[in-house]
Amino acid sequence: MIKTKAYGAVDKNSVLTNMEIERRTPHSGDVQIEILYCGVCHSDLHTARNEWKTTQYPCVPGHEIVGRVTAVGDNVHRFNVGDLVGVGCMVDSCGTCPSCAEGEEQYCESGFTGTYNGPVFGGENTYGGYSQQIVVKESFVLHIKHSEAQLASVAPLLCAGITLYSPLVHWKAGLNKKVGIVGLGGLGHMGVKLARAMGCHVVLFTTSLSKIEDGKKLGAHEVCVSTDVNQMQNYHNQLDLIINTVSVPHDLNAYLQLLKRDGSLVLVGAPEEPHPSPEVFNLIFKRRQLAGSLIGGIAQTQEMLDFCAEHNIVSDIEIVPMDYINSAYERIVKSDVKYRFVIDMNTL
Ligand code: NAP
Ligand code: ZN
């Protein structure tokens, strides 16, 4: 076992604090990684505070991990000591069910193993990226092709990036498609950048007047203030696809009405309490679809990282020391982050 410093919560009411955890000594197919930066996802906060009612404690969050390989097992062939690598939301899955066979490990029928909080259907706890080291099976480690100078800003791609890239690809975003992104947070700002790079006409929907200019700078062709009924009216029946990243329950009808016939509203935000059920007529009269999407498979995560390296896409970040995490969580709740906190692990 390898002892390593970490930062986590001991129960749902506690602030995050220093702790020591153990990592396994690398098995033959394992990669040992020194964590250099870790992004802060809203899911970290949902989990640390047990908002989804599945948290095992102690809870060490963090699934936007970038770092350097420090050791590899005998049977590791794709990574060498010194490589820059990433680890996202998953560290294992059954590998044999139809979803795994199709490279959609996030939908593993036995439940994938989260980078933190263990297997989704229960089992031994796992500890995430708010720590100095991690040991991960080779097949769940990603190559990073961005320059080393961009490393901190690459971290958020490992969750926020893939969570938007995957539905954009699945629902065929591209040229001549009008795509809406709802919420300009960590996920949303990646959605704006990715949809723009894919050639879509991008409309950002935000509740924050202060984010209008940023939305345009990040790549949105148009920005609509979603609390303004008149502005929303302009988009009725206009959009092919809307990806909704909002982390709190809200009225989905306002967005369903913006879809063209056969358009899709895809939920990726995962609030603590459910959204009110939308009006059925908003779906059946235009054969609209309401769907959801969970991160993305490992192969697609690599595809997304390569796409971002090629298009020079990274996240807009604020680098913070580890002991700022509790203040960072408070600011995330207030939507006061531009647009992702990334922890400098040297400060742990
Ligand atoms: P975030 O940075 O906090 O962004 C959420 C955005 O939602 C905010 O910036 C804000 O955008 C909007 N928002 C917040 N409160 C709101 C309110 N009361 N009313 C309307 N809009 C509000 O969070 P994130 O890290 O992007 O994560 C977003 C959600 O996705 C979380 O629930 C997270 O757990 C979930 N998630 C899901 C997946 C998946 O695989 N499906 C993966 C990662 C995360 P504006 O200021 O622009 O309105
Ligand atoms: Zn996440």
Side-chain angles (χ1 to χ4, degrees):
M1 286 292 185
I2 305 159
K3 287 196 191 314
T4 188
K5 278 191 189 171
Y7 221 78
V10 293
D11 61 52
K12 73 180 181 134
N13 299 314
S14 73
V15 294
L16 276 66
T17 182
N18 271 303
M19 53 179 65
E20 191 176 71
I21 57 168
E22 287 185 337
R23 301 295 190 186
R24 64 176 180 264
T25 309
H27 299 156
S28 65
D30 281 341
V31 178
Q32 185 177 335
I33 302 159
E34 176 198 0
I35 300 174
L36 297 173
Y37 297 99
C38 184
V40 180
C41 179
H42 204 120
S43 302
D44 298 356
L45 187 163
H46 288 305
T47 307
R49 297 181 176 178
N50 197 23
E51 292 180 352
W52 294 331
K53 319 281 186 294
T54 59
T55 306
Q56 306 186 55
Y57 293 95
C59 170
V60 177
H63 57 205
E64 294 184 337
I65 298 170
V66 290
R68 193 183 301 282
V69 175
T70 51
V72 293
D74 294 341
N75 287 324
V76 169
H77 302 298
R78 296 187 303 115
F79 298 95
N80 295 306
V81 170
D83 287 355
L84 292 179
V85 293
V87 177
C89 304
M90 302 182 280
V91 290
D92 208 356
S93 71
C94 84
T96 54
C97 72
S99 296
C100 286
E102 288 170 28
E104 304 269 24
E105 299 89 353
Q106 73 279 29
Y107 303 117
C108 173
E109 278 131 66
S110 309
F112 68 84
T113 300
T115 302
Y116 57 81
N117 208 36
V120 292
F121 299 138
E124 199 181 325
N125 202 1
T126 48
Y127 302 121
Y130 299 3
S131 61
Q132 290 180 326
Q133 302 187 72
I134 192 165
V135 175
V136 181
K137 204 171 165 175
E138 175 180 28
S139 49
F140 286 82
V141 180
L142 287 309
H143 289 282
I144 290 174
K145 295 179 186 146
H146 289 80
S147 74
E148 189 163 352
Q150 293 175 302
L151 196 61
S153 324
V154 170
L157 304 181
L158 274 308
C159 173
I162 185 61
T163 301
L164 273 290
Y165 183 86
S166 186
L168 286 167
V169 171
H170 185 81
W171 274 274
K172 303 189 167 50
L175 281 180
N176 304 320
K177 291 284 176 73
K178 207 168 190 177
V179 172
I181 303 290
V182 185
L184 195 66
L187 268 56
H189 94 291
M190 289 313 309
V192 168
K193 291 187 185 209
L194 290 165
R196 179 70 188 240
M198 289 174 183
C200 310
H201 185 90
V202 184
V203 185
L204 167 69
F205 295 89
T206 180
T207 59
S208 306
L209 290 168
S210 62
K211 295 181 185 171
I212 296 174
E213 283 316 307
D214 280 357
K216 290 182 184 158
K217 277 191 214 141
L218 291 164
H221 294 91
E222 300 173 48
V223 179
C224 172
V225 177
S226 54
T227 48
D228 180 334
V229 183
N230 293 326
Q231 287 192 37
M232 290 291 275
Q233 188 85 35
N234 292 334
Y235 293 95
H236 274 194
N237 307 320
Q238 298 288 310
L239 291 143
D240 296 286
L241 171 66
I242 300 175
I243 304 188
N244 185 333
T245 74
V246 176
S247 51
V248 294
H250 59 281
D251 173 30
L252 299 179
N253 290 300
Y255 295 105
L256 286 173
Q257 288 168 354
L258 309 187
L259 293 169
K260 289 181 183 164
R261 172 174 59 80
D262 288 324
S264 302
L265 171 60
V266 181
L267 305 180
V268 294
E272 179 177 4
E273 301 296 337
H275 298 294
S277 177
E279 177 56 68
V280 172
F281 289 105
N282 278 330
L283 294 165
I284 60 181
F285 266 80
K286 287 195 181 288
R287 200 165 52 192
R288 293 166 172 142
Q289 298 175 47
L290 176 60
S293 183
L294 179 65
I295 45 175
I298 294 296
Q300 195 176 48
T301 305
Q302 188 64 63
E303 177 187 303
M304 175 275 310
L305 285 168
D306 298 350
F307 177 89
C308 289
E310 201 176 300
H311 291 83
N312 200 27
I313 295 174
V314 291
S315 172
D316 284 32
I317 62 165
E318 179 176 338
I319 298 189
V320 295
M322 187 69 255
D323 64 6
Y324 186 74
I325 191 69
N326 296 300
S327 308
Y329 280 9
E330 290 313 314
R331 284 181 52 194
I332 288 173
V333 172
K334 288 188 256 165
S335 298
D336 174 23
V337 44
K338 293 186 169 180
Y339 280 90
R340 199 59 141 184
F341 291 115
V342 172
I343 305 158
D344 177 354
M345 250 351 121
N346 260 322
T347 61
L348 176 58

